[in-house]
mmCIF file with all atom_site columns, all heavy atoms in Angstrom:
data_model
loop_
_atom_site.group_PDB
_atom_site.id
_atom_site.type_symbol
_atom_site.label_atom_id
_atom_site.label_alt_id
_atom_site.label_comp_id
_atom_site.label_asym_id
_atom_site.label_entity_id
_atom_site.label_seq_id
_atom_site.pdbx_PDB_ins_code
_atom_site.Cartn_x
_atom_site.Cartn_y
_atom_site.Cartn_z
_atom_site.occupancy
_atom_site.B_iso_or_equiv
_atom_site.pdbx_formal_charge
_atom_site.auth_seq_id
_atom_site.auth_comp_id
_atom_site.auth_asym_id
_atom_site.auth_atom_id
_atom_site.pdbx_PDB_model_num
ATOM 1   N N   . GLU A 1 244 ? 103.003 168.940 142.542 1.00 50.00 ? 250 GLU A N   1
ATOM 2   C CA  . GLU A 1 244 ? 103.121 169.228 141.127 1.00 50.00 ? 250 GLU A CA  1
ATOM 3   C C   . GLU A 1 244 ? 102.098 168.469 140.297 1.00 50.00 ? 250 GLU A C   1
ATOM 4   O O   . GLU A 1 244 ? 102.117 168.509 139.072 1.00 50.00 ? 250 GLU A O   1
ATOM 5   C CB  . GLU A 1 244 ? 104.537 168.863 140.646 1.00 50.00 ? 250 GLU A CB  1
ATOM 6   C CG  . GLU A 1 244 ? 105.614 169.685 141.338 1.00 50.00 ? 250 GLU A CG  1
ATOM 7   C CD  . GLU A 1 244 ? 107.003 169.293 140.861 1.00 50.00 ? 250 GLU A CD  1
ATOM 8   O OE1 . GLU A 1 244 ? 107.093 168.384 140.006 1.00 50.00 ? 250 GLU A OE1 1
ATOM 9   O OE2 . GLU A 1 244 ? 107.980 169.911 141.312 1.00 50.00 ? 250 GLU A OE2 1
ATOM 10  N N   . GLY A 1 245 ? 101.201 167.753 140.933 1.00 48.00 ? 251 GLY A N   1
ATOM 11  C CA  . GLY A 1 245 ? 100.158 167.040 140.227 1.00 48.00 ? 251 GLY A CA  1
ATOM 12  C C   . GLY A 1 245 ? 100.546 165.666 139.734 1.00 48.00 ? 251 GLY A C   1
ATOM 13  O O   . GLY A 1 245 ? 99.756  165.020 139.041 1.00 48.00 ? 251 GLY A O   1
ATOM 14  N N   . GLU A 1 246 ? 101.718 165.181 140.085 1.00 53.00 ? 252 GLU A N   1
ATOM 15  C CA  . GLU A 1 246 ? 102.140 163.859 139.659 1.00 53.00 ? 252 GLU A CA  1
ATOM 16  C C   . GLU A 1 246 ? 101.690 162.822 140.690 1.00 53.00 ? 252 GLU A C   1
ATOM 17  O O   . GLU A 1 246 ? 101.732 163.060 141.887 1.00 53.00 ? 252 GLU A O   1
ATOM 18  C CB  . GLU A 1 246 ? 103.657 163.813 139.507 1.00 53.00 ? 252 GLU A CB  1
ATOM 19  C CG  . GLU A 1 246 ? 104.194 164.751 138.432 1.00 53.00 ? 252 GLU A CG  1
ATOM 20  C CD  . GLU A 1 246 ? 105.699 164.674 138.316 1.00 53.00 ? 252 GLU A CD  1
ATOM 21  O OE1 . GLU A 1 246 ? 106.301 163.915 139.107 1.00 53.00 ? 252 GLU A OE1 1
ATOM 22  O OE2 . GLU A 1 246 ? 106.264 165.358 137.459 1.00 53.00 ? 252 GLU A OE2 1
ATOM 23  N N   . ARG A 1 247 ? 101.299 161.670 140.178 1.00 58.00 ? 253 ARG A N   1
ATOM 24  C CA  . ARG A 1 247 ? 100.819 160.612 141.068 1.00 58.00 ? 253 ARG A CA  1
ATOM 25  C C   . ARG A 1 247 ? 101.993 159.950 141.776 1.00 58.00 ? 253 ARG A C   1
ATOM 26  O O   . ARG A 1 247 ? 102.942 159.522 141.142 1.00 58.00 ? 253 ARG A O   1
ATOM 27  C CB  . ARG A 1 247 ? 100.045 159.568 140.265 1.00 58.00 ? 253 ARG A CB  1
ATOM 28  C CG  . ARG A 1 247 ? 99.362  158.534 141.130 1.00 58.00 ? 253 ARG A CG  1
ATOM 29  C CD  . ARG A 1 247 ? 98.466  157.664 140.281 1.00 58.00 ? 253 ARG A CD  1
ATOM 30  N NE  . ARG A 1 247 ? 99.250  156.751 139.475 1.00 58.00 ? 253 ARG A NE  1
ATOM 31  C CZ  . ARG A 1 247 ? 99.573  155.508 139.867 1.00 58.00 ? 253 ARG A CZ  1
ATOM 32  N NH1 . ARG A 1 247 ? 99.176  155.083 141.051 1.00 58.00 ? 253 ARG A NH1 1
ATOM 33  N NH2 . ARG A 1 247 ? 100.264 154.726 139.083 1.00 58.00 ? 253 ARG A NH2 1
ATOM 34  N N   . ARG A 1 248 ? 101.934 159.910 143.088 1.00 67.00 ? 254 ARG A N   1
ATOM 35  C CA  . ARG A 1 248 ? 102.951 159.249 143.887 1.00 67.00 ? 254 ARG A CA  1
ATOM 36  C C   . ARG A 1 248 ? 102.349 157.961 144.433 1.00 67.00 ? 254 ARG A C   1
ATOM 37  O O   . ARG A 1 248 ? 101.305 157.962 145.082 1.00 67.00 ? 254 ARG A O   1
ATOM 38  C CB  . ARG A 1 248 ? 103.412 160.137 145.039 1.00 67.00 ? 254 ARG A CB  1
ATOM 39  C CG  . ARG A 1 248 ? 104.034 161.439 144.594 1.00 67.00 ? 254 ARG A CG  1
ATOM 40  C CD  . ARG A 1 248 ? 105.345 161.208 143.880 1.00 67.00 ? 254 ARG A CD  1
ATOM 41  N NE  . ARG A 1 248 ? 106.349 160.696 144.803 1.00 67.00 ? 254 ARG A NE  1
ATOM 42  C CZ  . ARG A 1 248 ? 107.566 160.332 144.434 1.00 67.00 ? 254 ARG A CZ  1
ATOM 43  N NH1 . ARG A 1 248 ? 107.909 160.379 143.159 1.00 67.00 ? 254 ARG A NH1 1
ATOM 44  N NH2 . ARG A 1 248 ? 108.430 159.895 145.324 1.00 67.00 ? 254 ARG A NH2 1
ATOM 45  N N   . ILE A 1 249 ? 103.002 156.844 144.160 1.00 77.00 ? 255 ILE A N   1
ATOM 46  C CA  . ILE A 1 249 ? 102.476 155.538 144.519 1.00 77.00 ? 255 ILE A CA  1
ATOM 47  C C   . ILE A 1 249 ? 102.814 155.223 145.964 1.00 77.00 ? 255 ILE A C   1
ATOM 48  O O   . ILE A 1 249 ? 103.939 155.420 146.406 1.00 77.00 ? 255 ILE A O   1
ATOM 49  C CB  . ILE A 1 249 ? 103.042 154.460 143.581 1.00 77.00 ? 255 ILE A CB  1
ATOM 50  C CG1 . ILE A 1 249 ? 102.650 154.774 142.137 1.00 77.00 ? 255 ILE A CG1 1
ATOM 51  C CG2 . ILE A 1 249 ? 102.547 153.084 143.971 1.00 77.00 ? 255 ILE A CG2 1
ATOM 52  C CD1 . ILE A 1 249 ? 103.275 153.847 141.124 1.00 77.00 ? 255 ILE A CD1 1
ATOM 53  N N   . LYS A 1 250 ? 101.825 154.724 146.689 1.00 81.00 ? 256 LYS A N   1
ATOM 54  C CA  . LYS A 1 250 ? 102.021 154.281 148.070 1.00 81.00 ? 256 LYS A CA  1
ATOM 55  C C   . LYS A 1 250 ? 101.944 152.763 148.106 1.00 81.00 ? 256 LYS A C   1
ATOM 56  O O   . LYS A 1 250 ? 101.170 152.152 147.372 1.00 81.00 ? 256 LYS A O   1
ATOM 57  C CB  . LYS A 1 250 ? 100.953 154.876 148.993 1.00 81.00 ? 256 LYS A CB  1
ATOM 58  C CG  . LYS A 1 250 ? 100.829 156.381 148.894 1.00 81.00 ? 256 LYS A CG  1
ATOM 59  C CD  . LYS A 1 250 ? 102.114 157.084 149.283 1.00 81.00 ? 256 LYS A CD  1
ATOM 60  C CE  . LYS A 1 250 ? 101.930 158.581 149.335 1.00 81.00 ? 256 LYS A CE  1
ATOM 61  N NZ  . LYS A 1 250 ? 101.645 159.186 148.021 1.00 81.00 ? 256 LYS A NZ  1
ATOM 62  N N   . VAL A 1 251 ? 102.740 152.157 148.962 1.00 85.00 ? 257 VAL A N   1
ATOM 63  C CA  . VAL A 1 251 ? 102.793 150.699 149.046 1.00 85.00 ? 257 VAL A CA  1
ATOM 64  C C   . VAL A 1 251 ? 102.643 150.269 150.499 1.00 85.00 ? 257 VAL A C   1
ATOM 65  O O   . VAL A 1 251 ? 102.705 151.086 151.423 1.00 85.00 ? 257 VAL A O   1
ATOM 66  C CB  . VAL A 1 251 ? 104.119 150.154 148.457 1.00 85.00 ? 257 VAL A CB  1
ATOM 67  C CG1 . VAL A 1 251 ? 104.163 150.370 146.954 1.00 85.00 ? 257 VAL A CG1 1
ATOM 68  C CG2 . VAL A 1 251 ? 105.322 150.785 149.137 1.00 85.00 ? 257 VAL A CG2 1
ATOM 69  N N   . SER A 1 252 ? 102.485 148.968 150.703 1.00 87.00 ? 258 SER A N   1
ATOM 70  C CA  . SER A 1 252 ? 102.285 148.418 152.038 1.00 87.00 ? 258 SER A CA  1
ATOM 71  C C   . SER A 1 252 ? 103.593 148.398 152.823 1.00 87.00 ? 258 SER A C   1
ATOM 72  O O   . SER A 1 252 ? 104.686 148.594 152.272 1.00 87.00 ? 258 SER A O   1
ATOM 73  C CB  . SER A 1 252 ? 101.729 146.991 151.927 1.00 87.00 ? 258 SER A CB  1
ATOM 74  O OG  . SER A 1 252 ? 102.642 146.169 151.214 1.00 87.00 ? 258 SER A OG  1
ATOM 75  N N   . LEU A 1 253 ? 103.463 148.124 154.115 1.00 89.00 ? 259 LEU A N   1
ATOM 76  C CA  . LEU A 1 253 ? 104.628 148.124 154.994 1.00 89.00 ? 259 LEU A CA  1
ATOM 77  C C   . LEU A 1 253 ? 105.617 147.036 154.608 1.00 89.00 ? 259 LEU A C   1
ATOM 78  O O   . LEU A 1 253 ? 106.835 147.252 154.593 1.00 89.00 ? 259 LEU A O   1
ATOM 79  C CB  . LEU A 1 253 ? 104.180 147.939 156.442 1.00 89.00 ? 259 LEU A CB  1
ATOM 80  C CG  . LEU A 1 253 ? 105.296 147.804 157.483 1.00 89.00 ? 259 LEU A CG  1
ATOM 81  C CD1 . LEU A 1 253 ? 106.146 149.058 157.529 1.00 89.00 ? 259 LEU A CD1 1
ATOM 82  C CD2 . LEU A 1 253 ? 104.716 147.496 158.866 1.00 89.00 ? 259 LEU A CD2 1
ATOM 83  N N   . GLU A 1 254 ? 105.129 145.827 154.278 1.00 90.00 ? 260 GLU A N   1
ATOM 84  C CA  . GLU A 1 254 ? 106.052 144.752 153.935 1.00 90.00 ? 260 GLU A CA  1
ATOM 85  C C   . GLU A 1 254 ? 106.820 145.050 152.652 1.00 90.00 ? 260 GLU A C   1
ATOM 86  O O   . GLU A 1 254 ? 107.982 144.658 152.512 1.00 90.00 ? 260 GLU A O   1
ATOM 87  C CB  . GLU A 1 254 ? 105.320 143.411 153.819 1.00 90.00 ? 260 GLU A CB  1
ATOM 88  C CG  . GLU A 1 254 ? 104.177 143.398 152.850 1.00 90.00 ? 260 GLU A CG  1
ATOM 89  C CD  . GLU A 1 254 ? 102.845 143.651 153.537 1.00 90.00 ? 260 GLU A CD  1
ATOM 90  O OE1 . GLU A 1 254 ? 102.834 144.347 154.562 1.00 90.00 ? 260 GLU A OE1 1
ATOM 91  O OE2 . GLU A 1 254 ? 101.840 143.134 153.029 1.00 90.00 ? 260 GLU A OE2 1
ATOM 92  N N   . THR A 1 255 ? 106.200 145.781 151.725 1.00 91.00 ? 261 THR A N   1
ATOM 93  C CA  . THR A 1 255 ? 106.913 146.175 150.500 1.00 91.00 ? 261 THR A CA  1
ATOM 94  C C   . THR A 1 255 ? 108.007 147.181 150.825 1.00 91.00 ? 261 THR A C   1
ATOM 95  O O   . THR A 1 255 ? 109.106 147.123 150.257 1.00 91.00 ? 261 THR A O   1
ATOM 96  C CB  . THR A 1 255 ? 105.930 146.762 149.477 1.00 91.00 ? 261 THR A CB  1
ATOM 97  O OG1 . THR A 1 255 ? 104.865 145.829 149.241 1.00 91.00 ? 261 THR A OG1 1
ATOM 98  C CG2 . THR A 1 255 ? 106.628 147.043 148.155 1.00 91.00 ? 261 THR A CG2 1
ATOM 99  N N   . LYS A 1 256 ? 107.729 148.107 151.729 1.00 92.00 ? 262 LYS A N   1
ATOM 100 C CA  . LYS A 1 256 ? 108.761 149.061 152.144 1.00 92.00 ? 262 LYS A CA  1
ATOM 101 C C   . LYS A 1 256 ? 109.927 148.340 152.817 1.00 92.00 ? 262 LYS A C   1
ATOM 102 O O   . LYS A 1 256 ? 111.092 148.675 152.566 1.00 92.00 ? 262 LYS A O   1
ATOM 103 C CB  . LYS A 1 256 ? 108.162 150.091 153.115 1.00 92.00 ? 262 LYS A CB  1
ATOM 104 C CG  . LYS A 1 256 ? 107.160 151.043 152.493 1.00 92.00 ? 262 LYS A CG  1
ATOM 105 C CD  . LYS A 1 256 ? 106.652 152.029 153.538 1.00 92.00 ? 262 LYS A CD  1
ATOM 106 C CE  . LYS A 1 256 ? 105.631 152.980 152.946 1.00 92.00 ? 262 LYS A CE  1
ATOM 107 N NZ  . LYS A 1 256 ? 105.117 153.948 153.956 1.00 92.00 ? 262 LYS A NZ  1
#
Side-chain angles (χ1 to χ4, degrees):
E250 298 179 0
E252 297 180 358
R253 187 172 73 92
R254 299 293 293 176
I255 300 174
K256 307 299 187 294
V257 292
S258 60
L259 175 62
E260 56 264 29
T261 306
K262 292 181 181 180

